[in-house]
Amino acid sequence: MRALRAALVQMTVQEKTEDSLARAEGFLRKAKEQGAQLALLPEMFCCPYQTKNFPLYAQREGGEVWQALSGMAKKYDLLLAAGSVPEVDGENRVYNTAYVFDREGRQIAKHRKLHLFDVEVEGGISFRESDTLTPGNSATTFDTPWGKMGLCVCFDFRFPELARLMALEGARCIFVPAAFNMTTGPAHWELMFRQRAVDNQLFTVGVAPARSYEGYVSYANSMAVSPWGDIIYRAEEKPALAVVDLDLAQIDSVRRQLPLLSARRTDLYAVSHLPRP
């Protein structure tokens, strides 16, 4: 399939998980009415973004949140990249986990955030996900009727090696549930999504929570970018639903015109090949 109609759900996170799930379902219903084939939710869409909350809201894979998301994917006949949620394993380790469900509600992918957001920006934000979260250990791609897709969570996307790895594994789009803040968002959000798209000649799609001024403040600005670096859609700060068409044929066209991936000099890309004084 050459075209993919994707729904970006920029929603406000609620204090109660059931309220967030209900809000997400309302958006998914509207997305289906608008012809969406795939829908994306934000990072931690059902958990207020504070480190103390992650263990409190965490559930096992297959728990109530998982079942609700699986049910929504099947009910609305959508491939659902279900944002991310706090997941707890059998040893009480907590992860920032993104699940993907097919149109029958079957889980077809799972990504645990690899790079934890531990930052201290002068005059800006201070945050330490590692206080309560454990990092994952695997890059994630998955097959769909529209080709292979890549998936990572927020801070993961800052690492160009990961995006390149997904591209080399055949990803046509990289989906990024994220929650950039008011320090890093204005500085890097658009720049990063456009640069990853241009470098890897694929679509990048980032979906964030709508802005709320209680606790952690999300930058919002969910966006979709083409392989040429054009912004297809960009939200503002309020709750929003956008259904956008991704012309996947554009990927092959751009790669023919600018053969970046095939022209790489992998024989030189190692520190050992750097000139020595």
Side-chain angles (χ1 to χ4, degrees):
M1 296 185 185
R2 295 177 62 182
L4 168 60
R5 179 159 285 189
L8 285 65
V9 176
Q10 181 170 287
M11 54 174 281
T12 305
V13 178
Q14 304 298 300
E15 194 73 27
K16 294 182 178 179
T17 298
E18 57 267 32
D19 292 341
S20 292
L21 289 169
R23 188 156 296 196
E25 181 168 6
F27 276 111
L28 295 180
R29 184 185 305 112
K30 293 177 182 177
K32 186 61 180 179
E33 291 170 355
Q34 296 180 36
Q37 300 161 304
L38 177 148
L40 303 107
L41 298 176
E43 182 180 19
M44 291 293 184
F45 77 94
C46 64
C47 172
Y49 206 93
Q50 295 175 308
T51 54
K52 66 179 182 180
N53 287 333
F54 301 148
L56 300 177
Y57 283 72
Q59 295 185 12
R60 300 284 290 271
E61 180 179 334
E64 292 181 6
V65 169
W66 187 98
Q67 292 179 37
L69 294 168
S70 169
M72 290 180 208
K74 184 174 183 179
K75 180 177 180 179
Y76 298 107
D77 188 32
L78 289 166
L79 196 154
L80 178 59
S84 78
V85 297
E87 175 214 0
V88 63
D89 69 8
E91 299 181 14
N92 289 320
R93 291 174 298 207
V94 180
Y95 302 89
N96 185 337
T97 299
Y99 297 113
V100 181
F101 301 91
D102 70 10
R103 290 175 163 184
E104 293 298 319
R106 295 176 294 231
Q107 181 179 309
I108 59 172
K110 173 182 177 178
H111 177 78
R112 287 170 167 169
K113 190 173 187 177
L114 302 174
H115 306 88
L116 299 185
F117 187 57
D118 288 0
V119 301
E120 188 77 41
V121 180
E122 292 184 9
I125 189 167
S126 175
F127 205 88
R128 286 187 57 82
E129 283 187 327
S130 65
D131 286 346
T132 55
L133 293 179
T134 298
N137 291 306
S138 299
T140 304
T141 58
F142 58 96
D143 292 317
T144 76
W146 305 275
K148 192 177 292 289
M149 305 295 172
L151 177 68
C152 63
V153 177
C154 200
F155 199 52
D156 286 340
F157 204 44
R158 283 191 174 272
F159 297 84
E161 300 92 340
L162 180 60
R164 176 54 54 87
L165 176 61
M166 290 187 279
L168 293 176
E169 290 183 349
R172 311 286 279 172
C173 309
I174 297 178
F175 301 128
V176 189
F180 272 45
N181 54 75
M182 295 303 295
T183 300
T184 59
H188 301 145
W189 176 261
E190 177 184 323
L191 174 67
M192 189 173 63
F193 276 89
R194 297 184 71 185
Q195 192 62 65
R196 298 287 177 271
V198 169
D199 283 348
N200 297 291
Q201 300 179 308
L202 42 63
F203 288 92
T204 59
V205 183
V207 181
R211 194 170 304 165
S212 171
Y213 290 95
E214 297 179 8
Y216 184 94
V217 182
S218 170
Y219 179 56
N221 282 267
S222 298
M223 67 177 357
V225 178
S226 81
W228 193 253
D230 296 322
I231 297 176
I232 301 168
Y233 167 78
R234 180 171 181 165
E236 296 180 348
E237 76 278 3
K238 297 178 181 180
L241 170 68
V243 178
V244 300
D245 290 317
L246 307 181
D247 180 6
L248 302 179
Q250 189 178 1
I251 299 168
D252 299 316
S253 174
V254 168
R255 290 179 178 179
R256 280 195 303 270
Q257 296 173 68
L258 293 172
L260 300 183
L261 296 180
S262 61
R264 292 177 305 123
R265 288 292 307 274
T266 54
D267 57 318
L268 298 178
Y269 302 157
V271 174
S272 61
H273 288 108
L274 292 176
R276 299 299 177 186

